[in-house]
Amino acid sequence: MKHLVTVVVLIVAVTVIVGVFFSNIDLTPIAASAEATPIDWLFNLHMQVIAFLFAMIMVFVLYSVFAFRRKPGDDSDGDYFHGHTTLEIVWTIVPLVIVLYFSYLGAVTLADITTPGDNEMVVEVTAQQWSWRFDYPEAGLTTTELNLPLGRTVLLKMTSNDVLHDFWVPEFRVKQDTVPGMTKELRITPTELGTYKVRCAELCGTDHAYMLANVNVMTSDGFEEWLAGEQEALAAAESGPAAERGAKLAEVNGCTACHTIDGSPGVGPTWLNMYEEDIPLADGSTVKADEEYLRESIVDPGAKIVDGFNNIMPPKFGETLSAEEIDALIAYMESLGE
Ligand code: CUA
């Protein structure tokens, strides 16, 4: 009985100390979304339960090692026990109740953060190796940075052009895989102004670690201003030279994530001085980088692989780009020639 009382006191003490330690170290970055509140609450509750489990295990083990160690000269065998039904029932029922309670809390939290908000704004997210693209269907805009107004719930409709990726902004807490051929949804209600980063949280190849995009949370006015400015710039570009439109398309479609325009090495061949050049191919032949070849390489990237590179370009640009957009891209490549 004396041992049991000592152990219980020690477990309570260690739980409190470890629990206080957990609540005082910053394990998470600032919480910048409404969804972060219930998630952080649940996360902290988990950490307190972990503190208790840690105390249960460590106190019993260490106390036994010291209190029941063999005395000098004692060579007798230990006592023999066979089962303890009450104990087994207790240590089955108690964890079961705790786990069920946590699954209930998890379900409530999930329902909470996936409930549609009032006046939601839709943004379509397209992930591909190794860039992010954001489409604002109502405004007819496409960008490489995610701009969001403060306090308004945004519904992200996400997909992937190639392999699995995962949309993750640590400050917003929520996270969602993007799956080729499927549309996945995620809701975010930003509550703090600032610039954050989308990180890809699913290993997706060579440049996975660099698959980042800025997320800017703006005031509603700032956001409206930005939208208007972008729409104006878009209208101006549409009446401007094709090469300029192509430059913008190359950016928003993620081309420049792999193809450099300054001749430096990239995951894909550089576009600098490529137009009309003879390109060595992996099969030993060469091909002239004319319009026909470039169009084929955009629509069917695996048809002719440039020597020294891998066949990893997303194959769907023939579906996602219009013929006019492909022409603009080729005009841009041409403008990068000598
Ligand atoms: Cu995309 Cu990792």
Side-chain angles (χ1 to χ4, degrees), residues 118-322:
D118 306 325
N119 186 26
E120 279 185 350
M121 177 177 80
V122 173
V123 177
E124 291 162 4
V125 179
T126 310
Q128 72 183 19
Q129 290 166 321
W130 288 275
S131 62
W132 297 96
R133 197 182 87 188
F134 306 102
D135 287 281
Y136 294 76
E138 286 158 51
L141 284 180
T142 301
T143 62
T144 51
E145 297 201 349
L146 179 59
N147 290 308
L148 299 172
L150 187 72
R152 181 169 171 196
T153 304
V154 58
L155 171 60
L156 301 176
K157 296 193 168 184
M158 313 201 283
T159 192
S160 165
N161 272 348
D162 37 42
V163 298
L164 289 178
H165 301 274
D166 191 299
F167 180 97
W168 182 40
V169 181
E171 290 82 0
F172 294 155
R173 301 295 190 269
V174 288
K175 195 176 185 188
Q176 174 64 53
D177 268 12
T178 65
V179 186
M182 288 174 83
T183 303
K184 293 286 180 185
E185 294 189 342
L186 189 66
R187 287 188 164 82
I188 295 168
T189 314
T191 53
E192 296 285 337
L193 294 174
T195 296
Y196 312 104
K197 276 222 167 8
V198 187
R199 289 157 206 282
C200 180
E202 182 74 58
L203 187 62
C204 58
T206 316
D207 277 356
H208 157 72
Y210 305 106
M211 190 170 159
L212 306 166
N214 279 343
V215 180
N216 307 306
V217 177
M218 313 166 149
T219 59
S220 318
D221 289 348
F223 179 75
E224 293 303 328
E225 239 168 73
W226 170 77
L227 272 188
E230 285 292 303
Q231 279 168 325
E232 224 169 88
L234 186 69
E238 258 157 26
S239 54
E244 267 174 40
R245 273 200 312 285
K248 177 81 179 156
L249 286 166
E251 185 199 334
V252 297
N253 286 290
C255 311
T256 47
C258 295
H259 300 280
T260 68
I261 56 166
D262 59 2
S264 60
V267 174
T270 184
W271 287 355
L272 184 72
N273 297 332
M274 167 199 64
Y275 193 74
E276 296 278 291
E277 290 300 307
D278 288 328
I279 308 288
L281 298 180
D283 64 8
S285 62
T286 55
V287 66
K288 196 176 170 73
D290 54 11
E291 260 193 67
E292 190 194 343
Y293 162 77
L294 293 174
R295 185 169 290 110
E296 177 187 57
S297 293
I298 294 171
V299 173
D300 182 10
K304 295 191 176 73
I305 299 301
V306 178
D307 192 30
F309 294 91
N310 295 315
N311 180 13
I312 52 170
M313 179 163 146
K316 295 186 79 176
F317 290 115
E319 296 161 38
T320 56
L321 296 174
S322 68

